[in-house]
Amino acid sequence: MDICKTHENASKCSVNTMECFMVLSTQAQKVSIATLCGLFGTLCIFENSLVLYLIFSSPGTRRKPSYIFISSLALADILASIIFVCSFVNFHVFNEINFSKETFLLQLGGVNTSFSASLSSLLLTALDRYISISRPSEYKLLMTRKRAWIALGVLWVTCATVASLPLLGWNCCTLNSTCSELFPFVDDNYLSSWICFIMVLLGCIIYAYAHVLWRAHQHVAYMEKYQVQVGKQNARMRMDVMLAKTLVMVLTVLVLCWSPILVLMIYSVFARLSNHLRKVFAFCSTLCLLNSMVNPIIYALRSKELYSSLRMVFSRFRRQLKASEESPEVESSHKSSMIET
């Protein structure tokens, strides 16, 4: 009897049963997944690495808590891309199962840590904007660089702890409980708890953004009413409104990319998934990479500081390229003059 035909057998903790989770049945599906992961992953790593370079190469940006949180988001997206692409393609495309339960849970923990840290970094960015726009006079006292780094440390430790729980024993093999239909060795109760953790993060982000948008709307109304006054206060309001719109764009992309897999995860907890839905889940998982790839584009287009730094980098690269192209001509002309002499 095929071990993948029944849910009970598919839930057994054997390395051989991992074949049940390899849902890509045709070569076209494997090529499609490999192409999407390769494209999104490569662009994500390049773009987020560029964002990190732009932030830390400028003293004006690397000292601001807002950009410290954005750099954490970029780092999390880079790690998520590397770990996710390597493990996902290796498992679903090359059908590699020659590893232990601990190795698989370690890879899964790395993916969960990176994506959770990415979402949590976005939450810290939202809270930073929330404090900046609700208590602007006390912002510099409340949001210092030291507190920003402490918050990031707590964030990463919390995400790593939650993601490592299956490896530490909260898995269906150790507990002899019901396994998830989406992930090998993962306990259904842990998956439900992780979903709740992600939903709480999303809820906090949405609440923070709702307040930021409300205050941004008030600022716009204020600027329209007092157009004659021009100064630092109005400039700060314009910056807050601009950054609020940027973060709302980031949140919109985040919700659109994460909603399909969260819905399927929730559905898998309460009902049995068909093979078709499991294939849909595999393809929807690549949307997480798309989200990580789109975020840096939004920063470059919406943040004036990052955009100006990016233009400076491109202009510097153009000058170096032009100088390297001209140097052989100068050298050849120098040699010809020496020969004539």
Side-chain angles (χ1 to χ4, degrees):
M1 184 179 67
D2 188 359
I3 60 174
C4 299
K5 284 186 177 179
T6 64
H7 175 64
E8 291 77 16
N9 285 332
S11 297
K12 289 181 179 178
C13 295
S14 170
V15 175
N16 294 329
T17 60
M18 293 182 68
E19 297 177 0
C20 304
F21 296 89
M22 298 175 181
V23 294
L24 304 181
S25 55
T26 65
Q27 191 66 24
Q29 293 173 354
K30 294 181 179 181
V31 171
S32 300
I33 284 287
T35 303
L36 290 174
C37 288
L39 178 62
F40 293 162
T42 303
L43 290 176
C44 177
I45 293 172
F46 171 75
E47 292 170 0
N48 283 286
S49 299
L50 182 60
V51 168
L52 287 177
Y53 173 77
L54 294 177
I55 291 175
F56 287 99
S57 62
S58 172
T61 54
R62 67 169 176 259
R63 294 175 180 173
K64 294 183 179 179
S66 301
Y67 289 102
I68 292 176
F69 297 146
I70 290 177
S71 64
S72 173
L73 177 60
L75 177 62
D77 286 338
I78 291 174
L79 295 177
S81 301
I82 295 173
I83 302 173
F84 177 83
V85 170
C86 293
S87 58
F88 195 78
V89 171
N90 193 41
F91 184 80
H92 283 289
V93 177
F94 298 108
N95 301 136
E96 180 63 44
I97 59 173
N98 294 326
F99 47 80
S100 63
K101 175 194 72 176
E102 290 74 18
T103 302
F104 178 83
L105 292 178
L106 181 62
Q107 293 176 354
L108 184 63
V111 173
N112 287 345
T113 299
S114 302
F115 281 125
S116 300
S118 175
L119 188 58
S120 300
S121 299
L122 189 58
L123 173 60
L124 288 182
T125 308
L127 294 177
D128 174 74
R129 286 298 91 200
Y130 177 88
I131 296 173
S132 173
I133 207 167
S134 61
R135 305 174 71 176
S137 59
E138 305 174 24
Y139 173 75
K140 290 186 177 181
L141 295 177
L142 295 174
M143 189 58 68
T144 61
R145 291 180 62 194
K146 182 179 179 181
R147 290 181 178 179
W149 285 111
I150 292 175
L152 284 180
V154 173
L155 178 155
W156 280 89
V157 170
T158 302
C159 293
T161 302
V162 172
S164 61
L165 289 178
L167 184 63
L168 297 176
W170 192 355
N171 57 75
C172 57
C173 304
T174 304
L175 301 176
N176 196 22
S177 56
T178 305
C179 294
S180 169
E181 289 187 317
L182 293 175
F183 306 101
F185 313 126
V186 174
D187 180 71
D188 258 346
N189 292 327
Y190 170 78
L191 182 60
S192 302
S193 301
W194 188 82
I195 293 171
C196 292
F197 174 65
I198 296 299
M199 296 299 289
V200 168
L201 290 179
L202 283 174
C204 293
I205 293 174
I206 292 173
Y207 173 80
Y209 280 136
H211 185 83
V212 168
L213 281 179
W214 177 64
R215 294 302 298 266
H217 175 73
Q218 288 184 327
H219 285 182
V220 171
Y222 177 87
M223 286 186 291
E224 290 178 351
K225 186 176 181 179
Y226 301 99
Q227 291 181 0
V228 181
Q229 297 181 6
V230 178
K232 292 184 178 180
Q233 184 68 16
N234 280 349
R236 181 176 180 82
M237 288 180 181
R238 289 190 180 92
M239 182 187 69
D240 287 338
V241 172
M242 185 73 173
L243 193 50
K245 291 179 180 179
T246 300
L247 297 180
V248 167
M249 292 174 63
V250 174
L251 177 62
T252 303
V253 173
L254 178 77
V255 171
L256 291 176
C257 291
W258 276 82
S259 293
I261 63 169
L262 286 177
V263 169
L264 288 173
M265 283 183 184
I266 295 172
Y267 182 77
S268 71
V269 174
F270 298 101
R272 185 174 301 180
L273 294 177
S274 63
N275 287 334
H276 176 70
L277 285 179
R278 292 166 70 190
K279 290 180 183 179
V280 171
F281 179 80
F283 277 92
C284 288
S285 299
T286 60
L287 292 176
C288 299
L289 283 177
L290 178 63
N291 171 57
S292 299
M293 184 193 73
V294 170
N295 284 343
I297 299 177
I298 298 176
Y299 302 147
L301 293 178
R302 302 288 297 181
S303 172
K304 289 184 177 180
E305 291 175 294
L306 290 184
Y307 184 70
S308 60
S309 299
L310 182 62
R311 291 184 60 183
M312 289 177 61
V313 169
F314 279 143
S315 62
R316 194 184 310 129
F317 176 76
R318 234 183 274 118
R319 287 196 300 268
Q320 293 177 353
L321 186 63
K322 187 176 181 181
S324 63
E325 290 177 350
E326 290 178 351
S327 58
E329 297 177 1
V330 174
E331 185 177 354
S332 60
S333 62
H334 177 69
K335 287 182 177 179
S336 62
S337 62
M338 289 291 293
I339 292 173
E340 291 177 0
T341 305

